[in-house]
Amino acid sequence: MTPKVAIQGIKGSFHYQAATECLGQNIEIVECDSFDKTVKSLLNNSSDLIVMALENSIAGSILPNYALIDRFQLHIIKEHYIDIQQNLMMFPNQKWEDLQEVHSHPMALLQCKQFFEDFPNIKLVEDTDTASTARRIREQKLKNIGAIGSKSAAELYGLEIIQHSIQTMKVNSTRFVVLSLSENKTEKSKLTKASLKFQVDHKRGSLATVLNVISDCNINMTKIQSLPIIETPWKYAFFVDIIFEKYEDFEKAYKLLSIMAENFRVLGIYESKNTNISNIGN
């Protein structure tokens, strides 16, 4: 049976690119206009999996998405990194001189602001989404209007890329995760990374003690992110990513942390992907 995969956005978006690269082409995309609705689709069985962005190498962590994973007790079963390349595209058979307006998501316009400083005659117009703009240009055969988006959006909607990689920061990658209602079924020998969530007491050295346990178990912490606990002012939950060579080391750390830390939970155990920019997408 073809798995149904929920994404925030539509086909041609960077979430769509991440989903097809990570899970293959034999999937059915469930388009949602918010991250909350991707979770809702999973909970009501309208989808089998979610592909969700968690952090960007420039903008940092997407904190509300960490909260969604924790609140609904979702499981991270895979991670995937893609290199974000913003391309300028138009309806086919037009010239650069024909371009009068560029429509795209505000973030995409901001990422490409420096490029357009050399073309003050081009009007920049904020839109709801990168891929939906590309689709509208194709469906309505809009002339003199460009869109900013992924290469897959141009291919999917039959637009012509007139300028590649126009974003100011050329090295810009986003980490996506695949979420499920069930735990990862991958054999333990292939599991090399885990995402954890916990709280600590308001005592001096409490966090340091937990982090020392991780280090003493031959585990490397690759990320730590704090998130306020709304119900308890001035108290924080910590989200930590760790990598390990031996699953036994993780099991040892798990036993200790489940005793030492408050509200300890494993958000997912999965295979670590190489984040080297030359290997993104592999």
Side-chain angles (χ1 to χ4, degrees):
M1 186 173 66
T2 302
K4 296 180 180 180
V5 182
I7 63 170
Q8 187 275 322
I10 67 171
K11 294 179 180 178
S13 65
F14 287 110
H15 273 86
Y16 172 78
Q17 179 182 334
T20 53
E21 285 183 1
C22 183
L23 301 173
Q25 297 292 332
N26 188 32
I27 58 176
E28 179 181 340
I29 295 295
V30 179
E31 299 175 347
C32 303
D33 59 16
S34 70
F35 289 115
D36 293 271
K37 289 183 179 179
T38 65
V39 175
K40 184 177 180 180
S41 76
L42 187 63
L43 296 177
N44 65 22
N45 296 315
S46 296
S47 63
D48 304 304
L49 300 168
I50 300 173
V51 170
M52 178 183 286
L54 268 192
E55 57 184 309
N56 177 265
S57 61
I58 297 173
S61 299
I62 306 175
L63 296 181
N65 288 356
Y66 278 92
L68 282 173
I69 294 171
D70 182 41
R71 176 185 174 189
F72 294 101
Q73 298 189 10
L74 307 181
H75 298 274
I76 300 173
I77 61 172
K78 283 187 178 184
E79 69 174 358
H80 186 73
Y81 294 79
I82 66 171
D83 182 20
I84 303 297
Q85 295 292 316
Q86 300 285 14
N87 303 287
L88 181 58
M89 58 195 73
M90 296 179 69
F91 194 81
N93 301 318
Q94 294 189 86
K95 299 178 181 178
W96 172 264
E97 294 77 14
D98 298 326
L99 184 60
Q100 297 176 2
E101 297 181 3
V102 173
H103 296 216
S104 195
H105 188 276
M107 185 57 68
L109 293 174
L110 183 62
Q111 291 176 352
C112 304
K113 181 180 178 181
Q114 185 172 318
F115 173 83
F116 288 106
E117 287 177 352
D118 294 330
F119 307 99
N121 58 307
I122 298 176
K123 182 180 179 180
L124 302 181
V125 181
E126 294 186 357
D127 214 323
T128 55
D129 182 68
T130 55
S132 62
T133 302
R135 181 175 64 182
R136 187 171 67 254
I137 289 176
R138 182 66 193 187
E139 290 177 346
Q140 300 180 15
K141 300 181 180 179
L142 299 177
K143 306 293 180 65
N144 310 116
I145 295 178
I148 298 173
S150 67
K151 182 180 178 181
S152 63
E155 295 173 346
L156 195 61
Y157 300 117
L159 300 186
E160 182 178 342
I161 295 178
I162 60 173
Q163 191 71 40
H164 292 266
S165 189
I166 64 172
Q167 73 277 1
T168 302
M169 301 297 294
K170 300 305 179 185
V171 179
N172 179 15
S173 64
T174 296
R175 178 190 178 216
F176 295 82
V177 292
V178 180
L179 302 171
S180 172
L181 291 176
S182 304
E183 295 183 1
N184 200 341
K185 300 298 191 297
T186 303
E187 59 182 91
K188 292 182 179 180
S189 62
K190 294 183 178 180
L191 302 177
T192 54
K193 188 171 184 177
S195 294
L196 315 175
K197 176 251 181 176
F198 58 84
Q199 298 166 220
V200 294
D201 289 329
H202 268 310
K203 296 179 181 179
R204 185 177 62 185
S206 294
L207 178 59
T209 301
V210 171
L211 299 182
N212 284 336
V213 168
I214 293 175
S215 177
D216 291 343
C217 292
N218 298 317
I219 291 175
N220 182 35
M221 183 180 70
T222 59
K223 178 182 177 65
I224 183 169
Q225 177 71 57
S226 63
L227 189 66
I229 301 172
I230 299 176
E231 299 83 3
T232 311
W234 308 115
K235 192 163 185 178
Y236 296 84
F238 293 94
F239 293 84
V240 172
D241 286 343
I242 58 174
I243 55 176
F244 45 88
E245 293 185 3
K246 298 178 180 179
Y247 189 82
E248 292 77 12
D249 291 335
F250 168 75
E251 288 183 313
K252 180 181 178 181
Y254 173 85
K255 292 177 181 178
L256 293 172
L257 293 175
S258 60
I259 298 173
M260 297 174 56
E262 299 178 19
N263 297 321
F264 177 74
R265 179 175 172 248
V266 178
L267 303 179
I269 315 172
Y270 45 98
E271 183 180 357
S272 174
K273 295 297 181 182
N274 192 338
T275 59
N276 185 295
I277 194 68
S278 64
N279 291 319
I280 287 176
N282 294 333

